[in-house]
């Protein structure tokens, strides 16, 4: 399956809503129980991109959205401003084809260029595929929160993985860099 990566556009929100709805209804990556409306997803997209975080789409040769990834604040307190959380969602037909890895690598590249120093993956349901994806991109396991979600009639664990970006925590950040401007 051939695909290209590009910036997500507002016109992608309909497809994003459908991909995310499937993840909510059938998966454990999201701990939401009811899929958000298209209006809510458009609002979330506007918030993320309005704050300057990267939001990337993978599309096939026909322009069909295969998946998307974005970075957002892990927490909003100012000392966390150098840390981003990644999110990746794929259409069913796109899973297992390297699209998630391409999206994550591009997200890492963009966040590093913006001056972020750490990326964290909060993996709902401790999904083995997501753990493998993140490990394959250099993330290391930092912990497991046991029984943190109850979905599909079962208790779910949440895995935390982390990747240093740029100099990570070995040098002081450039206070003039992008993340500092958010606070």
């Amino acid at each position: 399956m051939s695909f290209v990566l590009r910036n997500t556009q507002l016109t992608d929100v309909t497809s994003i809503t459908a991909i995310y709805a499937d993840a909510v209804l059938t998966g454990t990556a999201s701990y939401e129980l009811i899929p958000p409306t298209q209006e809510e997803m458009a609002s979330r997209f506007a918030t993320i991109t309005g704050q300057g975080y990267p939001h990337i789409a993978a599309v096939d040769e026909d322009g069909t959205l295969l998946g998307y990834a974005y970075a957002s604040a892990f927490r909003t307190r100012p000392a966390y401003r150098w840390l981003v959380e990644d999110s990746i969602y794929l259409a069913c037909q796109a899973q297992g084809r390297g699209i998630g890895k391409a999206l994550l690598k591009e997200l890492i590249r963009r966040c590093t260029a913006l001056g972020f120093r750490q990326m964290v993956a909060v993996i709902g349901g401790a999904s083995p595929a997501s753990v493998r994806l993140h490990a394959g991109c250099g993330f290391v396991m930092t912990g497991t929160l046991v029984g943190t979600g109850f979905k599909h009639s079962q208790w779910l664990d949440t895995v935390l993985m982390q990747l240093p970006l740029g100099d990570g925590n070995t040098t002081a950040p450039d206070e003039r860099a992008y993340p500092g401007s958010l606070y």
Side-chain angles (χ1 to χ4, degrees), residues 39-54:
E39 292 75 22
E40 173 60 23
M41 293 302 285
S43 176
R44 292 178 188 187
F45 172 75
T47 297
I48 291 164
T49 58
Q51 292 174 345
Y53 291 104

Side-chain angles (χ1 to χ4, degrees), residues 9-34:
Q9 302 165 359
L10 185 57
T11 55
D12 295 321
V13 170
T14 300
S15 296
I16 286 171
T17 302
I19 289 170
Y20 188 67
D22 182 64
V24 169
L25 294 172
T26 66
T28 60
S30 169
Y31 282 7
E32 290 195 73
L33 302 175
I34 299 169

Side-chain angles (χ1 to χ4, degrees), residues 51-103:
Q51 292 174 345
Y53 291 104
H55 205 299
I56 308 162
V59 296
D60 69 11
E61 57 276 353
D62 297 325
T64 302
L65 189 79
L66 301 171
Y68 64 98
Y70 61 90
S72 58
F74 175 70
R75 296 270 192 261
T76 57
R77 298 228 165 86
Y80 283 117
R81 72 185 176 272
W82 309 103
L83 169 66
V84 290
E85 179 179 344
D86 74 278
S87 295
I88 305 165
Y89 292 94
L90 299 176
C92 292
Q93 74 272 19
Q95 295 175 7
R97 303 185 186 277
I99 297 167
K101 188 169 192 173
L103 282 165

